[in-house]
Amino acid sequence: MESIYIQTPLGIAKIEGDKQGIATLSLVEDVALSNEIPSCLQEAVSQLNEYFSGERNAFDLHLNPQGTDFQKKVWKSLEEIPFGKTRTYLEQAKILGDVKAIRAVAAANGKNPLWIVLPCHRVIGSDGSLTGYAGGLWRKKWLLEHENPMRQQSLF
């Protein structure tokens, strides 16, 4: 498994993967940035940089997250949430076919190993609140504002 550490507007990201696909994309603290990009991670680095620069609103990467079958089903459903849109945990549970699984869905979202690529930041509370984000609610807010097509332009 290859890895790289890159700077993003939200902190240092660690990308891990191999020829089977990207396994993890997470935030880390206090590590040195990488100087060279392994060939199997070049596309992920490129697409992540395009996302943060506003040039990309969907990822096209081969993914290889590790988890239970249920977690993988939940994570796959995250890919269906359009850029700039949100879905509630209840809506996600309904789409997955079991309204009573809302807590299990939320727990699986919390274990999402592919930060941003599988957009769990687009899942919000039923009352519209920004709840449950492992990277911190300030990052969730930043990501949703970054993806908002109606961004407020500065007047000055």
Side-chain angles (χ1 to χ4, degrees):
M1 184 84 53
E2 301 278 351
S3 64
I4 186 169
Y5 298 91
I6 63 169
Q7 186 64 55
T8 76
L10 297 174
I12 299 172
K14 178 182 182 181
I15 306 171
E16 291 183 299
D18 55 26
K19 61 184 176 185
Q20 303 300 316
I22 305 302
T24 64
L25 171 57
S26 59
L27 291 167
V28 294
E29 300 288 330
D30 300 323
V31 296
L33 298 176
S34 302
N35 293 320
E36 293 185 33
I37 304 172
S39 60
C40 63
L41 302 179
Q42 287 179 346
E43 189 60 27
V45 170
S46 176
Q47 288 190 30
L48 197 60
N49 286 332
E50 290 169 359
Y51 169 85
F52 281 117
S53 70
E55 300 169 24
R56 174 173 291 278
N57 59 19
F59 291 93
D60 184 21
L61 298 167
H62 183 69
L63 305 178
N64 189 21
Q66 302 302 303
T68 67
D69 289 343
F70 178 76
Q71 287 172 329
K72 289 178 182 179
K73 182 179 173 182
V74 170
W75 300 336
K76 185 73 176 158
S77 76
L78 294 170
E79 293 179 299
E80 299 167 9
I81 305 172
F83 183 88
K85 303 290 183 190
T86 59
R87 179 179 291 164
T88 67
Y89 290 99
L90 180 60
E91 289 170 332
Q92 189 181 17
K94 285 179 182 177
I95 287 167
L96 290 165
D98 187 357
V99 135
K100 294 178 183 176
I102 187 170
R103 290 181 190 260
V105 167
N109 281 348
K111 301 274 188 196
N112 175 9
L114 291 162
W115 175 63
I116 298 178
V117 175
L118 297 178
C120 60
H121 61 276
R122 296 180 190 154
V123 183
I124 60 174
S126 293
D127 62 357
S129 62
L130 301 183
T131 61
Y133 193 65
L137 292 181
W138 73 270
R139 286 188 176 105
K140 184 171 190 165
K141 181 177 187 281
W142 190 99
L143 290 165
L144 292 173
E145 287 174 354
H146 176 71
E147 294 182 0
N148 186 343
M150 304 295 276
R151 278 188 258 190
Q152 177 69 38
Q153 298 296 316
S154 174
L155 298 175
F156 306 99

